Structure formats: C-alpha cells, structure tokens
C-alpha cells in the first residue's frame, strides 16, 4: 500500500524525486529541524549526558552521516547533530560565565586577553569588536580559554588582528525582554559570540600579528586607500558596505531608499558579489598563459581568501561554497546540482553557527537562493512570450530573465520580509533589473581600481571616478523609485498557518507535472477560499482586553489591544530616547497584532520635540488619530503638530480634563489632567490615563507620589512598579508585563522574566 501511494505521489509530482535525490539538501533540512527542536524544547538538550565530549560526538556523527547511504539513518543522524550543536553552544556559554564568576568572586578587577578579528564599528558612543579570547585573569589567578569569541565593547578602537588586553566586566547575553522584540541573543550567538565584554581600559600589542594577519592588514589598507579616493561621502560609505560588509556608517536615508526600492539585498555580500569577483578573476586570467586547472584553483583560493578577509557572513559563505562547487564541476566536466551545492553550504554553515538559522540574514539568503533555483524555471517556462523564446540571446531575453529571477526571489522571501520587517517592496521587481546592472558595472570598476592601485595609482583614481558615477546613478534611482505611489506595502506579521499554506502552494506548483498543473489549481481554489476567511475569523474572534507594559529604559510605552481588534499605543517615553527603544518593543508588537487596526496614539506628556516621536511612529505604522492634552492657550508648537498630522492624514484630538473615549463596548478610556498648564514648556507630566473594562479599572499613566492612589484602582502602573491588588511587582527585575481581562472580569498576569 505504501509503495502504491508513493508511486501515485511521484506520478503527480515527478520533480519530487529530483529533490529527494539531493542528499545534501535533505540532510540540511533534517539538521535545521533538529536545531529548531533543541532551541524551543529545552528537554531535548543533552549537555549533562555528554558533558565535555559533545564536540567529539558531533564530529563522529557527522562523519558517519556523510559515509552512510541510507536516507532515513542519515536524516536521523543530522537531526541528532542539530540537537547536539545547540547543546554544545549552551555549554560553551555557561562554561565561560562560570570561569568569569570564579575570578570575579575573589577580585573586582578582571582582565581579558585575546585577538581582534574584525574592524572596529562605532555605535552609540562605543567601539564594537569581535575578540577571540585566550585567557582571563585577576591579580592572583589566570584561566586559559581556547578561542572563545566575545563581543568587545570599549571607548577606544582596536586595530584589526591586533592582540589586546583589557580590564572590565563580562555580561551574559540576555534573551528578548519584549514579545516579538529584537533578538540580540540569536544575532550574537550566530556570530559565535558567547558574551559581552565591557572594557574600561585597554592595551594593544600589534607586534604579535601572524603573517596571514599582516597580509590581510596590508590588503585592508590598500582597499581603504582606494575607497578614500571617492569624493562623495555617500558613495564612499556605500563602497565600504558593498566590498567590506561594513554598513555601520550608512545613514538612515540611504538604507530607507534601498529598502523601499526593494534593492536592500544588494548591500549584503552575497552571490552577486562573488559572481562578479569570480568573473573578473577569470577574465584577468585569460591573458595569463597557464593551464586551466591552475586558473580555476587560484580563483577558488582567492574567493576563500576574500571570505576570510571580510568575515564569515552567511550569505557570503553560502555563495563561496556554491561558486566552489560550480567551478570544480566545470573543471571535472560534470553537471553540478545547485540544490546539492546549496544543501552542502547550509550544512557547513549550520555546523559552524547553528544559531544563524534564527537570523533574518541566513533565512533570506538561503530561501532566496532556493526559490530562484526552483521557481525561476517554472516562471520562465510559463510566462516567457514565444517571440522572446525564439531569440534567446537578445536584449528582450535578458530583461525577461532578470525580471523572472527578481519575481522568483520576491515570491520566496515575501513571508520572511513580512515576518521580520513588515514591508514588501512592489517596485523592487522592476528596480532590480537596472540596479543589478549598475551594481555589476560599479563593482567591476572597483575591483579593477583595487588591482591597479598598487601598480598605477593615477589610473586607479580615474577608474574610481567612473565607479563613483555608476553608484551615484544607483542611489538616485533608488531615491526616485521611492517616490512612486504604493512603492512599499506595509504588512502585519503573518501567522504560521497562513505562511505554511503559502509555501505549500508554491512548492506544489514547482513539483507538479505539467499535465496536472491546471487540475492542481482547481484543487487549490476551494482550499484558499475556505481557509483564508477561517484564519481571519480565528484571529478576530477575541474577547479579551490585553494591556502590555513594554520593557524600556523609562517604562514609558504601553500597548492596548481592545476586544474589537483596535490597538492603542501610549507613548510617554522621553524625547531623548533613541529610536531603537520603540523599534525593538512597540513596533514589532504592533505588527504582530493580526487583523487589527492601529486606532490611536496617545502622547500624555508633550514637549516642543514631540513631533520627532510622531515622525518615528507614523513612518512605521500610521494611526487613525493622535490624542494629546488640551492646552490652556494655543502655541506655535501645537500648530506645528496639527499641521504635521494634517499633512499625513491623521486626525488630531485635544483631550480636556476627564475626556472619556469608548474604543470598544463595555470599555472606556479616561484622560485626567491634574493641572492646566499655561504655556507649552511649563507642562510637566500633568496627565493621567485610566481604563475600565468589565468592572476592573487600571491606572496606566500615574504621576502621583502618594500611595493612597493605589487603593483607588484595581491595577496601577507607577514609574517602575505595577500594583495588582495587594501585590506589588518591581519592573526592574522583569521584562515586558502583560495583563489580560476576559469578558468575565478575570485577570491574567504574565511577564517575561529577565
């Protein structure tokens, strides 16, 4: 029976046999599944079982998985290897912290020694490095550490590949403190960083650099000197991002222009950059009389040297491995399976960095490549006009091919872009055609200038002028494309079921036989028409009032989801708060509220810079109305806010004392003003906000110092405390706090513990 079912499935989906024959791809999927299980099910970890021998177990099982030919056994081994990798990472992190605490117990001054493995990045008043530790020490003891990497945070920059010593403290990597917030832990662990080292004083020892480090240091100096010839600061910073992977100096306007134009992926070192570099090297070797295998070998060697020079980025690592297999296949005159090369790259990278599976960069890079490999042939075969098929080498064929590649990548990455960023760029389908051409031309010019820089600096300068002009056209094109209407679509975070349905639909289109394609579409039509309204009904049928107090520096962000799927946001954060405070807490939560509308933004405490807060919120998600306190007399600042909201089609409501709103049945929001200020700049937190639902009253914004105020309400949020009945919770020891009230008036209190 099983055999007949298998034959019937392969009859409808013959391409499934090709996918299953790619053993590396199937093993990569099994490895990824094991990593996910170990991450979200703690009981699957095996740290206590294997203790310090986990690494040897991983290597032994990996060797067996590569030798065996049995598909089920191989997949089981890769699944178990995924569990072991997470266990090994957790054990390495705990061991580092235990060694640090053993030193800190006997001395307050802890020293760290290691080697810098990346260029310094300046952000928020500190220089950030990656340092491979060799030892930790205090005044009386020293503990050796075998190459454990940490995030090095100091007030002074450190040179690349330098040996450094510093005195400071080691901080653990905390999990996200807000739901759907920025997962800094996964980002750092994906880079192999197991702690954050805050350095007070630092010393460098440059003379201990290895010969390879010196070569990289000289190459970095040549690349920097070549880039500094560019006169435009915007293009100069862009070249640092395109060649060295350093996007820390890119301004927000350039990032936003590339993001809205749908070409932000060009800023990530990936297959396009590796392909351009490999093509440039092969063209250069055409004029060098040597055997073809030597040319291919040197090209592969230089690609891996570029990877080591820039750093092991997931997209660049994947591209170098795939380019290596393609070049070796041409050398041996064998047909290379792109899916197998992708699977090998995925396995190799996840073995090195298993936490990369949970980062947007790894997901977008591998999913985009997978969708281009699988979806591009389907789109090309069904949508290419007959006239274009007859002229395969014309300009029209090139334009259609570029459009279909962009379309395949967009279809594959759309769920991930909605999940992580909440934006989809429609204009990117067309913008990628011209952007890829300009990017290819500019990088070829840059690589040529880099080679000529050592021999003939004057010629290198003129080549960089052409490179600068090409990149300037690229930036201008991105800025102009953003002016088009509906260039970017704002989306909510998709649910797991709808994402699964979406992926299953397109995978079935790729795998199905041509003769069964239209019958498959007939089957999918009723499935989509049934499940899409059902998903909407499930997410809109909520009768609870949910109030969340986000974990920020000032605890000044509060989100409210009403039973009728309206969402309000109370923003009492100080004006000096950085943008990341909102983008890492309230904004991801807003996107996660499926089938809900952002109804109102309340600004209880206004100042002359409140318009900056409005600009941050409206650029992310536009509310229907903004509620502000009513001032005793109108000022020019108030007029400026009203004009700004009017230009953005947002209603402005000035709430007087005891103004009451009814956003949902049986639910009222009341705004109290303790005193009426006379002028704008004299207003000092006079507003209080209370909410009542099913007989329970909460004070969400409380500025009174008296404890008697607590007895007047069931729940009070005051500064860094929350009072629920007789219980008082200190927010400093907690993450985000969520309070739910159902239709029966029953309270549910939950929090993310630090």
């Amino acid at each position: 029976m099983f055999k007949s079912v298998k034959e019937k499935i392969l009859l409808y989906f013959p391409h499934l046999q090709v996918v299953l024959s790619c053993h590396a791809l199937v093993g990569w999927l099994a490895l990824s599944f094991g990593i996910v299980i170990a991450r979200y099910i703690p009981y699957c970890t095996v740290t206590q079982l294997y203790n310090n021998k986990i690494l040897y177990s991983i290597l032994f099982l990996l060797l067996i998985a590569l030798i065996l030919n049995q598909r089920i056994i191989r997949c089981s081994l890769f699944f178990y290897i995924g569990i072991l990798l997470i266990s090994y990472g957790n054990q390495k992190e705990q061991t580092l912290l235990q060694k640090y605490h053993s030193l800190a117990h006997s001395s307050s001054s802890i020293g760290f020694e290691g080697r810098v493995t990346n260029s310094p990045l300046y952000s928020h008043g500190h220089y950030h490095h990656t340092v491979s530790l060799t030892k930790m020490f205090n005044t009386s003891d020293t503990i050796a550490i075998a190459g454990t990497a940490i995030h090095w945070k100091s007030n002074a920059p450190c040179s690349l590949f330098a040996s450094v010593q510093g005195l400071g403290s080691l901080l653990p990597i905390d999990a996200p403190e807000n739901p759907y917030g920025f997962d800094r832990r996964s980002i750092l662990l994906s880079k192999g960083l197991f702690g954050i080292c805050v350095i007070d004083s630092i010393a460098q020892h440059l003379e201990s650099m290895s010969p390879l480090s010196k070569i990289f240091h000289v190459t970095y100096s040549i690349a920097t000197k070549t880039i500094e010839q560019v006169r435009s600061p915007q293009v100069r910073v862009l070249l640092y991002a395109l060649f060295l992977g350093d996007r820390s100096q890119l301004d927000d306007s350039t990032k936003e222009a590339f993001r809205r134009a749908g070409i932000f992926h060009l800023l990530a070192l990936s297959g396009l950059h590796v392909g351009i570099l490999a093509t440039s090297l092969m063209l250069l070797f055409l004029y060098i009389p040597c055997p073809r295998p030597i040319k291919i070998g040197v090209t592969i060697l230089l690609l891996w040297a570029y990877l080591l020079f820039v750093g092991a980025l997931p997209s660049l690592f994947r591209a170098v491995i795939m380019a290596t297999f393609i070049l070796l296949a041409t050398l041996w005159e064998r047909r290379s399976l792109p899916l197998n090369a992708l699977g090998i790259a995925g396995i190799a990278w996840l073995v090195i960095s298993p936490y990369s599976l949970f980062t947007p960069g790894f997901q977008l890079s591998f999913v985009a490549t997978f969708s281009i490999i699988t979806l591009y042939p389907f789109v090309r075969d069904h949508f290419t006009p007959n006239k274009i098929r007859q002229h395969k080498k014309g300009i029209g064929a090139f334009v259609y091919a570029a459009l279909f590649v962009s379309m395949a990548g967009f279809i594959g990455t759309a769920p991930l872009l909605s999940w992580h960023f909440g934006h989809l760029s429609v204009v990117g389908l067309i913008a990628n055609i011209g952007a890829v051409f300009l990017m290819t031309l500019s990088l070829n010019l840059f690589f040529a200038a880099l080679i000529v820089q050592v021999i003939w600096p004057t010629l290198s300068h003129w080549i960089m002028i052409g490179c600068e002009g090409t990149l300037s056209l690229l930036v201008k094109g991105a800025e102009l494309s953003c002016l088009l209407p509906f260039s970017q679509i704002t989306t909510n975070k998709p649910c797991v079921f709808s994402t699964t349905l979406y992926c299953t639909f397109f995978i079935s289109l790729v795998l199905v036989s041509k003769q069964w394609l239209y019958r498959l579409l007939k089957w999918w039509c009723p499935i989509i028409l049934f499940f899409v309204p059902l998903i909407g009904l499930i997410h809109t049928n909520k009768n609870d009032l949910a109030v969340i107090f986000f974990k920020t520096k000032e605890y000044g962000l509060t989100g409210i989801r009403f039973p009728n799927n309206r969402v309000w946001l109370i923003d009492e954060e100080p004006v000096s708060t950085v943008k990341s405070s909102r983008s890492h807490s309230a904004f991801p939560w807003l996107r996660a509220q499926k089938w809900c509308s952002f109804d109102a933004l309340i600004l209880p405490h206004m100042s002359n810079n409140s318009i900056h807060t409005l600009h941050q919120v409206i650029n992310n998600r536009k509310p229907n109305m903004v509620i502000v306190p009513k001032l005793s007399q109108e000022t020019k600042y108030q007029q400026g806010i009203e004009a700004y909201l009017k230009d953005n089609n947002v209603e402005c409501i000035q709430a007087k004392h005891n103004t009451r709103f009814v956003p949902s049945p049986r639910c009222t929001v009341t705004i109290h003003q303790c005193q009426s200020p006379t002028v704008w700049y004299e207003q000092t937190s006079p507003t209080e906000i209370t909410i009542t639902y099913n007989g329970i009253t909460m004070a969400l914004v409380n500025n009174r110092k008296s404890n008697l105020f607590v007895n007047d309400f069931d729940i009070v949020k005051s500064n860094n405390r929350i009072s629920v009945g007789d219980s008082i919770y200190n927010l400093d020891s907690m993450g985000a706090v969520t309070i739910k009230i159902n239709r029966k008036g029953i309270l549910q209190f939950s929090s993310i513990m630090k």
Side-chain angles (χ1 to χ4, degrees), residues 159-187:
S159 300
L160 182 64
F161 305 119
S163 294
V164 292
Q165 281 187 350
L167 298 177
S169 58
L170 183 69
L171 303 177
I173 307 175
D174 294 327
E177 296 178 325
N178 292 292
Y180 315 104
F182 177 67
D183 192 357
R184 188 184 185 189
R185 177 178 173 81
S186 293
I187 296 295

Side-chain angles (χ1 to χ4, degrees), residues 4 46 60 88 104 148-149 208 256 272 314 331 425 433 521 535 593 630 640 706:
S4 61
V46 290
F60 178 71
Y88 178 68
T148 300
S208 60
E256 185 65 21
L272 177 64
L331 177 62
S425 177
I433 299 176
L521 293 175
I535 294 171
Q593 305 309 306
K630 175 69 175 178
S706 174

Side-chain angles (χ1 to χ4, degrees), residues 240-308:
Y240 275 108
L242 294 176
F243 180 70
L244 300 177
D246 181 8
R247 293 185 291 185
S248 61
Q249 302 179 33
L250 280 175
D251 57 340
D252 293 337
S253 61
T254 304
K255 291 180 181 179
E256 185 65 21
F258 274 73
R259 186 177 292 110
R260 293 181 67 90
I263 57 175
F264 192 79
H265 62 93
L266 297 179
L267 298 179
L269 299 179
S270 59
L272 177 64
H273 303 75
V274 173
I276 294 171
L277 179 59
T279 304
S280 302
L281 291 172
M282 293 301 293
L283 289 175
L284 179 63
F285 291 151
L286 287 177
Y287 303 97
I288 299 176
C290 63
R292 184 167 171 267
I294 295 179
K295 295 179 181 180
I296 293 177
V298 173
T299 302
I300 294 174
L301 184 63
L302 291 176
L303 289 179
W304 281 96
Y306 179 60
L307 175 65
L308 295 174

Side-chain angles (χ1 to χ4, degrees), residues 72-265:
I72 296 178
I73 299 178
R74 186 191 298 114
C75 290
S76 302
L77 289 175
F78 275 117
F79 173 78
Y80 192 55
I81 289 171
I83 297 176
L84 290 177
L85 286 170
I86 295 296
S87 301
Y88 178 68
N90 293 338
Q91 183 196 31
K92 200 170 182 180
E93 181 184 8
Q94 293 172 7
T95 303
L96 177 64
L97 292 175
Q98 289 173 0
K99 291 181 178 179
Y100 169 75
H101 289 307
S102 65
L103 291 175
H105 181 72
S106 58
S107 176
S108 58
S109 179
I110 306 299
F112 302 88
E113 183 176 318
R115 184 178 297 277
V116 180
T117 59
N118 75 329
S119 302
L121 302 178
Y122 185 77
S123 177
H124 302 300
H126 293 88
Y127 290 93
H128 302 265
H129 312 76
T130 298
V131 174
S132 179
L133 285 182
T134 55
K135 65 180 180 179
M136 290 189 299
F137 57 90
N138 58 14
T139 55
S140 60
D141 195 8
T142 299
I143 296 179
I145 299 175
T148 300
I150 60 169
H151 182 80
W152 185 280
K153 185 177 177 182
S154 60
N155 295 324
C158 302
S159 300
L160 182 64
F161 305 119
S163 294
V164 292
Q165 281 187 350
L167 298 177
S169 58
L170 183 69
L171 303 177
I173 307 175
D174 294 327
E177 296 178 325
N178 292 292
Y180 315 104
F182 177 67
D183 192 357
R184 188 184 185 189
R185 177 178 173 81
S186 293
I187 296 295
L188 291 179
L189 289 177
S190 67
K191 299 177 181 179
L193 306 179
F194 296 94
I196 302 173
C197 193
V198 181
I199 299 299
D200 301 323
S201 61
I202 190 171
Q204 300 187 44
H205 305 280
L206 295 175
E207 66 276 6
S208 60
M209 293 175 61
S210 64
L212 181 61
S213 299
K214 290 180 180 179
I215 293 174
F216 284 160
H217 189 74
V218 171
T219 307
Y220 184 84
S221 301
I222 296 173
T224 304
K225 190 175 181 179
T226 305
I227 294 174
E228 291 299 326
Q229 298 179 26
V230 176
R231 292 171 295 179
S232 172
Q234 187 180 30
V235 176
R236 191 186 310 127
V237 171
L238 195 60
L239 272 173
Y240 275 108
L242 294 176
F243 180 70
L244 300 177
D246 181 8
R247 293 185 291 185
S248 61
Q249 302 179 33
L250 280 175
D251 57 340
D252 293 337
S253 61
T254 304
K255 291 180 181 179
E256 185 65 21
F258 274 73
R259 186 177 292 110
R260 293 181 67 90
I263 57 175
F264 192 79
H265 62 93

Side-chain angles (χ1 to χ4, degrees), residues 550-674:
F550 296 105
K551 174 72 173 183
T552 60
K553 291 182 179 180
E554 302 292 337
Y555 301 96
L557 285 173
T558 304
I560 309 172
R561 192 198 68 215
F562 296 100
N564 60 353
N565 295 307
R566 290 185 177 183
V567 175
W568 284 28
L569 183 65
I570 303 175
D571 193 332
E572 50 178 330
E573 286 282 281
V575 179
S576 59
T577 301
V578 295
K579 182 180 179 180
S580 60
S581 177
R582 297 178 180 88
S583 60
H584 292 169
S585 57
F587 294 165
W589 178 81
L590 283 173
R591 289 195 294 105
Q593 305 309 306
K594 305 173 184 65
W595 302 81
C596 293
S597 63
F598 186 16
D599 193 47
L601 168 68
I602 303 179
L603 299 178
H605 316 319
M606 292 195 302
S607 69
N608 55 359
N609 287 324
S610 292
I611 193 169
H612 296 295
T613 300
L614 292 173
H615 183 70
Q616 289 182 17
V617 177
I618 289 176
N619 276 355
N620 184 273
R621 190 64 56 94
K622 184 186 294 185
N624 297 328
M625 60 182 175
V626 174
I627 303 172
V628 297
K630 175 69 175 178
L631 299 178
S632 57
Q633 64 181 23
E634 192 171 6
T635 64
K636 62 179 181 180
Y637 304 108
Q638 184 178 359
Q639 295 173 357
I641 286 181
E642 292 177 354
Y644 177 79
L645 293 175
K646 186 177 180 180
D647 292 340
N648 288 275
N649 298 320
V650 178
E651 182 182 3
C652 181
I653 298 179
Q654 300 183 32
K656 300 179 181 179
H657 180 58
N658 285 337
T659 301
R660 183 169 298 177
F661 298 87
V662 185
S664 178
R666 304 186 307 278
C667 183
T668 59
V669 177
T670 307
I671 297 181
H672 311 273
Q673 287 184 291
C674 303

